Amino acid sequence: MDMEKMVAYAKQHGFVFQGSELYGGLANTWDYGPLGALMKNRVKALWWQRFIQEDLRTVGLDSSILMNPAVWKASGHIDGFNDPLIDCKACRARHRADHLIESFDASLHADGLTPEALDAIIKEKKIPCSSCGKHDFTPVRQFNLMFKTAQGVLDAQSQAIYLRPETAQGIFVNVKNIQRALRLKVPFGIGQIGKSFRNEITPGNFIFRTREFEQMELEFFCKPGDEKRWFSHYKNASKQFLLDLGIKEDNIQLRDHDATELSHYSDATTDIDFRYPWGFDELWGIASRTDFDLKQHETHSGEDLRLRDPETNETYLPYVIEPSLGVERLFLALLFDAYKEETLEDGETRINLALHPAVAPYSVAVFPLIKKYHGEAAQALASTLSKSIELVYDDTGKIGKRYRRQDAIGTPFAITVDDETLSNQTVTLRERDTMAQSRVNVKDLPELLRQKTAF
Ligand code: GAP
């Protein structure tokens, strides 16, 4: 499954459309269609269930996208959230210098190097422009990724503000409020899901790198000295979440950042990379952020952000472990991991999107065997079941075709209403992966489906 085919598949089945397509599109923006919206909501709900609901040490938050610019000064984003930009003088193509180097020779490691070091590699290796093939570049310079906008109706009074480039800072600036309001004791975590924005130099690879995206971030606050234990805990817990979602172990790997790659706030970071069509690439970043952020916010705000230790009564700035995951990157990984083209025993082929039932857009499809005879009963059953489960109703075409359509969008179960349903209140329940069919009593369906689609 290559990327071009995935983009076409996602469009054809209503997962993802090009943004503003009617007007020729807006580069690298994507709209989530009915199936994409359902699946994205499921991805977010499952993350929340695992990392907030089921972990009694963590709580949730929904902070605003627009924040006082002083936040970004303190966090280091205004001064340091840059990517190295280089222009080709011949064709005017714009590149991220580290990506230009790494896509020229994958054995070269360029992430986090200074502009001077990147210039030197590009010159020494005579790296060509990936658009026109010439080697005629401007020097590498730093480009700030923050999206700037203005707040206020009158020009003279408007204030420059930024769209947040990460959700994390909304958590850091609220930590004292949350700790007090909920009487939390270290160690505890605060998580949130929300949009972030980055003026990426080279967005691309479909929804992998975009300028508008959603993050699922958790900041876990622990006692200084305990951070290694929690770092290891979250590396394992994050990997386990992916495996529980059904992602194949072969398709993920953990990769530690070396010193040149570390962000300005981190003393250790491990990425969980997924095997995308172009190779292993970052899905989830797990960072040890020390007390960098809270210290910066203390200095810049003048507020004491230390917390009291419940055991020793001492006060300190807690250390932070941060697992940070992109919704769209997980969405894309799930699609690639699940997509299969199979040849069946009768020689027919089918697409089987073998998603975990908890993450599939629809949990179940409901069909009348013959619309004329069974349509009314099937519709009544669909209305009842739709109160507790996300389903799709389909009464067009041969039953085999209807099964294929659902297999291709990952619907794990299909219910067929037939003559027997009318006489004895049973239906056929078909399973997507095995295609096995069984007879089930209508009254048992809600509980059975709840169990079969649980996470
Ligand atoms: N708060 C830490 C932070 O934002 P990051 O490694 O820059 O760290 C975390 O981003 C995650 O957000 C990434 O692992 C990725 O899943 C997602 N992400 C980052 N930039 C993205 C982009 N331009 N498009 C889509 N997802 C992105």
Side-chain angles (χ1 to χ4, degrees):
M1 183 64 159
D2 62 23
M3 191 54 110
E4 215 175 302
K5 201 167 158 187
M6 177 56 84
V7 175
Y9 163 83
K11 178 178 179 181
Q12 185 194 343
H13 293 279
F15 282 93
V16 185
F17 306 120
Q18 194 192 354
S20 316
E21 191 180 327
L22 193 61
Y23 289 93
L26 174 68
N28 306 104
T29 59
W30 302 96
D31 294 338
Y32 290 77
L35 272 68
L38 283 171
M39 186 166 149
K40 235 180 159 192
N41 283 342
R42 289 198 188 268
V43 164
K44 290 187 273 184
L46 293 173
W47 179 88
W48 189 278
Q49 177 186 327
R50 175 63 59 89
F51 290 97
I52 312 286
Q53 179 188 322
E54 290 175 10
D55 187 338
L56 304 183
R57 293 171 293 238
T58 66
V59 294
L61 175 71
D62 183 6
S63 71
S64 66
I65 288 172
L66 304 178
M67 300 180 79
N68 188 317
V71 170
W72 307 114
K73 186 71 189 160
S75 68
H77 283 85
I78 288 179
D79 299 321
F81 194 51
N82 303 318
D83 273 342
L85 176 70
I86 190 169
D87 288 323
C88 170
K89 288 201 231 163
C91 75
R92 294 174 177 237
R94 212 148 236 209
H95 306 279
R96 225 178 105 168
D98 52 343
H99 286 182
L100 186 74
I101 293 171
E102 287 173 1
S103 56
F104 172 74
D105 179 349
S107 68
L108 294 170
H109 205 67
D111 194 11
L113 297 184
T114 61
E116 295 72 32
L118 294 166
D119 269 333
I121 298 176
I122 291 166
K123 277 203 188 95
E124 189 202 318
K125 305 271 175 198
K126 283 224 163 334
I127 295 178
C129 168
S130 54
S131 300
C132 72
K134 299 223 169 76
H135 174 82
D136 185 12
F137 293 110
T138 61
V140 175
R141 61 197 185 282
Q142 295 289 18
F143 176 78
N144 192 280
L145 301 184
M146 300 265 280
F147 260 106
K148 214 174 188 174
T149 184
Q151 169 163 283
V153 274
L154 296 175
D155 272 357
Q157 289 165 7
S158 75
Q159 181 193 17
I161 54 167
Y162 301 91
L163 305 187
R164 68 181 174 198
E166 60 170 13
T167 70
Q169 297 304 323
I171 297 177
F172 293 128
V173 301
N174 275 298
V175 70
K176 204 92 192 197
N177 279 340
I178 295 172
Q179 187 270 330
R180 278 203 199 112
L182 285 104
R183 291 172 290 115
L184 299 177
K185 297 185 179 69
V186 174
F188 64 85
I190 304 172
Q192 73 170 330
I193 300 174
K195 291 251 178 178
S196 293
F197 301 82
R198 296 181 188 176
N199 202 359
E200 298 278 2
I201 296 169
T202 48
N205 277 334
F206 190 27
I207 54 172
F208 179 82
R209 181 171 284 105
T210 48
R211 296 193 169 110
E212 171 184 347
F213 55 98
E214 250 179 309
Q215 291 183 307
M216 303 184 279
E217 297 204 290
L218 182 74
E219 308 302 322
F220 193 82
F221 300 87
C222 67
K223 188 174 175 171
D226 280 355
E227 68 276 11
K228 285 203 167 57
R229 180 160 78 83
W230 289 108
F231 188 47
S232 161
H233 167 84
Y234 274 109
K235 283 197 279 189
N236 293 334
S238 303
K239 182 177 173 192
Q240 193 56 49
F241 179 65
L242 298 175
L243 297 179
D244 291 348
L245 279 172
I247 292 186
K248 294 168 204 74
E249 193 152 13
D250 275 2
N251 283 342
I252 50 179
Q253 68 183 19
L254 270 67
R255 193 182 65 81
D256 296 334
H257 283 209
D258 65 27
T260 59
E261 240 183 305
L262 288 173
S263 303
H264 61 276
Y265 50 71
S266 173
D267 69 351
T269 295
T270 299
D271 286 344
I272 302 184
D273 290 350
F274 177 79
R275 194 201 301 269
Y276 292 101
W278 59 94
F280 277 100
D281 211 339
E282 180 181 344
L283 166 61
W284 201 334
I286 299 133
S288 171
R289 286 183 86 125
T290 69
D291 58 358
F292 176 87
D293 301 272
L294 292 184
K295 212 184 240 164
Q296 287 293 105
H297 288 306
E298 262 202 339
T299 310
H300 285 251
S301 69
E303 291 288 324
D304 180 1
L305 295 178
R306 287 173 302 169
L307 303 178
R308 187 168 296 280
D309 190 289
E311 276 160 22
T312 61
N313 227 11
E314 52 179 331
T315 53
Y316 52 74
L317 279 182
Y319 269 43
V320 174
I321 301 300
E322 174 197 68
S324 173
L325 171 62
V327 175
E328 295 82 359
R329 286 200 188 174
L330 178 54
F331 180 100
L332 187 61
L334 286 163
L335 287 183
F336 274 117
D337 190 80
Y339 185 95
K340 287 194 275 192
E341 286 174 14
E342 296 173 348
T343 306
L344 307 176
E345 275 173 16
D346 60 5
E348 263 202 58
T349 56
R350 71 161 179 170
I351 295 173
N352 181 15
L353 191 69
L355 291 168
H356 187 295
V359 91
Y362 297 117
S363 302
V364 65
V366 177
F367 310 143
L369 182 63
I370 303 168
K371 188 178 168 186
K372 194 158 85 178
Y373 303 121
H374 313 117
E376 206 176 307
Q379 272 185 6
L381 177 62
S383 300
T384 308
L385 289 177
S386 70
K387 294 190 196 314
S388 58
I389 205 155
E390 195 73 57
L391 62 78
V392 56
Y393 179 82
D394 187 4
D395 59 12
T396 45
K398 292 215 172 85
I399 195 83
K401 277 248 164 65
R402 283 184 258 165
Y403 283 143
R404 296 285 165 277
R405 278 205 288 270
Q406 296 306 320
D407 295 342
I409 59 169
T411 312
F413 304 103
I415 290 168
T416 306
V417 171
D418 53 21
D419 283 344
E420 266 191 79
T421 317
L422 307 183
S423 62
N424 70 5
Q425 290 295 299
T426 63
V427 290
T428 304
L429 183 73
R430 176 205 185 251
E431 311 225 353
R432 177 196 64 207
D433 295 342
T434 59
M435 294 185 287
Q437 300 192 3
S438 57
R439 210 69 210 168
V440 175
N441 213 303
V442 167
K443 70 171 173 20
D444 297 332
L445 277 173
E447 178 55 19
L448 186 70
L449 290 171
R450 194 192 62 74
Q451 283 172 14
K452 282 182 178 286
T453 56
F455 183 63

